[in-house]
Amino acid sequence: MTVQENILIKQYNSFGISAYANLFAKFNSVDELEELLEFKKFPFANSPLPMLILGGGSNILFTKNFPGLVLKNELKEIKEIKEDEHHIYVQVGAGENWHQFVLHCIQKGWAGVENLSLIPGNVGASPMQNIGAYGVELKDIFYSLEAYHIHDKKMVNFTLNDCEFGYRESIFKKKFKNEFVIMDVTFRLNRIPDFNISYGAIGQELDKMGVKDLSIQAVSQAVINIRSSKLPDPAVIGNAGSFFKNPEISSSQFAMLSSQFPGIVGYDLPNGNVKLAAGWLIEQSGWKGYRKGDAGCHEKQALVLVNYGNATGNEIYNLSEEILQSVKEKFGVGLEREVNIV
Ligand code: FAD
Ligand code: EPU
């Protein structure tokens, strides 16, 4: 385990921002993490340094160099810990790649994660914002997780209720922000698939693929096809997926907006509110395909901001601010950033 100084972290964030970390280290075990957390041991630091836990760097925007210690989580292992008549319980190290884990489940015939195929990043970050796509959220297959409390120096077990999952939310983004390092996550997967193809585009894609007998492989492939057709591949164009969340408004505000903007896209929520498609709001505000320097709004998905090469984090952030203001002016709806700004 080595601590490197003044490291370029461009390769560690999917936006491809050329930021530097004052100090950078990778850890593979609780012992290594504990050693790294003993800041006083470092010859460079007399007082506690700001610290950032990094997974795959696919939901983060660096707007400046990081003036402290970046710790990259590399904990690996996929372990079947128990099973019952209907379920398999699988404990996964936080440093495992999410999509590789999904493929592992599909190959084993474990159902539940297929709709979450091709989401970038690592397993350890998946509970942070309760990742979701195509009608499924992490909470639907989550069983528990183990996290290390940075100040109390002890491991804590969190069950489903403890995590307070919501739409792109968890307790780790709110009350316990920067307090815990997630070390492993246990999933409860299904022996018999309970297919969720309610998200319209999946059914259409399965038809296009000529699928007659539904399988977890087929659903996963349909999701991969849809995602690949509209989301930019970070290996080619820097991005962090949806930059903003889809905003929730009241049904009365939705009715008002609908009369003014008849094409507006909204989905009814169980609480009576309506979730708006932020991509539509941004497109209608004229941003889709916009480019200023190397910062842009993606031409196929307006909710995704992109770095065409050498944009700085500040340029991307400033673009997001302009978008946010123009959507507010046109529709009176405030957008909230999904990406973690550092
Ligand atoms: P990072 O970006 O490294 O970290 C994200 C946050 O979590 C940071 O605040 C970090 O400090 C913290 N963190 C990371 N690991 C730990 C840990 N072990 N313990 C404590 N804190 C930690 N998201 C969706 O929900 N649905 C999608 O469909 C989706 N599509 C995407 C498509 C593309 C092309 C891209 C680039 C991103 C997409 N995302 C999507 C966002 C992203 O993939 C997820 O948020 C993912 O879970 C981030 O994982 P990561 O390991 O890269 O996290
Ligand atoms: N739309 C437009 N113009 C655009 C983009 C979208 O009009 O440029 C409208 C379309 O009407 C479309 C609707 O918005 O039907 C929804 O678009 P899409 O199905 O692409 O989904 P999204 O709401 O833009 C959300 C998630 C994605 C997730 C997909 C699929 C958020 C913030 N984003 O995007 O998650 O993959 O649904 O479930 O909830 C992420 O979080 O990073 C992410 C990519």
Side-chain angles (χ1 to χ4, degrees):
M1 186 188 64
T2 49
V3 180
Q4 297 171 281
E5 273 185 89
N6 208 23
I7 286 295
L8 180 66
I9 48 176
K10 185 179 166 99
Q11 61 169 311
Y12 298 120
N13 73 96
S14 66
F15 253 123
I17 301 295
S18 291
Y20 284 82
N22 194 354
L23 300 168
F24 180 89
K26 297 177 179 175
F27 64 95
N28 286 301
S29 65
V30 182
D31 288 348
E32 286 189 352
L33 173 64
E34 283 185 328
E35 207 177 311
L36 287 163
L37 290 176
E38 298 254 329
F39 301 118
K40 286 190 225 55
K41 278 194 182 161
F42 293 137
F44 337 94
N46 298 318
S47 58
L49 292 162
M51 196 189 75
L52 175 77
I53 304 294
L54 194 62
S58 65
N59 204 20
I60 228 166
L61 178 69
F62 288 100
T63 55
K64 53 182 182 297
N65 294 330
F66 191 74
L69 177 63
V70 173
L71 295 181
K72 181 148 166 54
N73 190 328
E74 303 251 293
L75 291 152
K76 299 269 163 71
E77 189 164 31
I78 301 183
K79 217 164 46 180
E80 294 172 51
I81 53 167
K82 62 175 180 172
E83 53 187 298
D84 57 33
E85 199 188 335
H86 301 293
H87 303 111
I88 323 271
Y89 297 77
V90 187
Q91 189 181 53
V92 188
E96 289 284 350
N97 174 272
W98 175 264
H99 184 58
Q100 291 309 314
F101 164 61
V102 171
L103 293 179
H104 178 83
C105 293
I106 289 167
Q107 188 246 326
K108 289 274 199 177
W110 301 333
V113 277
E114 55 279 4
N115 291 48
L116 300 175
S117 295
L118 212 63
I119 296 182
N122 290 354
V123 167
S126 63
M128 291 296 295
Q129 68 160 13
N130 177 29
I131 57 168
Y134 299 97
V136 172
E137 287 185 326
L138 179 98
K139 69 172 174 49
D140 302 327
I141 33 120
F142 177 91
Y143 184 66
S144 66
L145 65 77
E146 288 183 303
Y148 185 86
H149 194 274
I150 291 168
H151 303 295
D152 294 352
K153 298 188 171 36
K154 61 172 194 200
M155 291 290 273
V156 180
N157 191 70
F158 287 81
T159 62
L160 181 62
N161 280 341
D162 298 332
C163 293
E164 297 180 9
F165 288 129
Y167 166 60
R168 300 294 190 270
E169 278 302 347
S170 74
I171 199 161
F172 304 103
K173 278 183 81 177
K174 291 177 168 165
K175 192 163 117 196
F176 292 156
K177 195 172 162 74
N178 296 329
E179 284 192 35
F180 284 95
V181 181
I182 296 170
M183 304 300 275
D184 57 67
V185 184
T186 299
F187 299 93
R188 194 177 73 158
L189 301 162
N190 303 321
R191 289 184 185 282
I192 314 255
D194 180 13
F195 295 112
N196 183 339
I197 55 165
S198 54
Y199 210 94
I202 299 188
Q204 286 161 26
E205 184 60 31
L206 288 166
D207 285 347
K208 208 164 103 191
M209 287 161 60
V211 172
K212 299 270 180 310
D213 298 318
L214 215 48
S215 65
I216 52 176
Q217 285 86 350
V219 173
S220 168
Q221 192 56 52
V223 169
I224 289 173
N225 294 350
I226 302 164
R227 294 182 69 97
S228 309
S229 72
K230 55 179 165 186
L231 289 170
D233 177 355
V236 182
I237 304 176
N239 75 92
S242 301
F243 199 89
F244 302 98
K245 294 184 190 180
N246 286 326
E248 184 175 329
I249 60 170
S250 67
S251 56
S252 54
Q253 191 182 358
F254 184 68
M256 227 167 60
L257 283 171
S258 297
S259 62
Q260 217 182 330
F261 305 101
I264 194 164
V265 182
Y267 312 94
D268 291 332
L269 293 171
N271 64 4
N273 286 344
V274 177
K275 191 184 273 188
L276 295 180
W280 187 89
L281 301 174
I282 296 170
E283 180 174 351
Q284 296 303 312
S285 303
W287 292 102
K288 197 170 185 171
Y290 173 88
R291 177 172 177 169
K292 184 178 184 184
D294 273 351
C297 178
H298 195 240
E299 58 194 8
K300 291 189 191 154
Q301 228 301 359
L303 197 45
V304 178
L305 300 193
V306 292
N307 173 11
Y308 286 105
N310 292 312
T312 63
N314 269 323
E315 286 167 341
I316 304 276
Y317 184 84
N318 291 341
L319 174 58
S320 78
E321 194 59 36
E322 283 187 67
I323 291 175
L324 211 142
Q325 279 172 18
S326 81
V327 167
K328 181 85 188 160
E329 266 165 40
K330 189 172 169 97
F331 298 101
V333 174
L335 295 180
E336 189 189 336
R337 292 179 183 86
E338 178 196 297
V339 170
N340 299 280
I341 311 294
V342 177

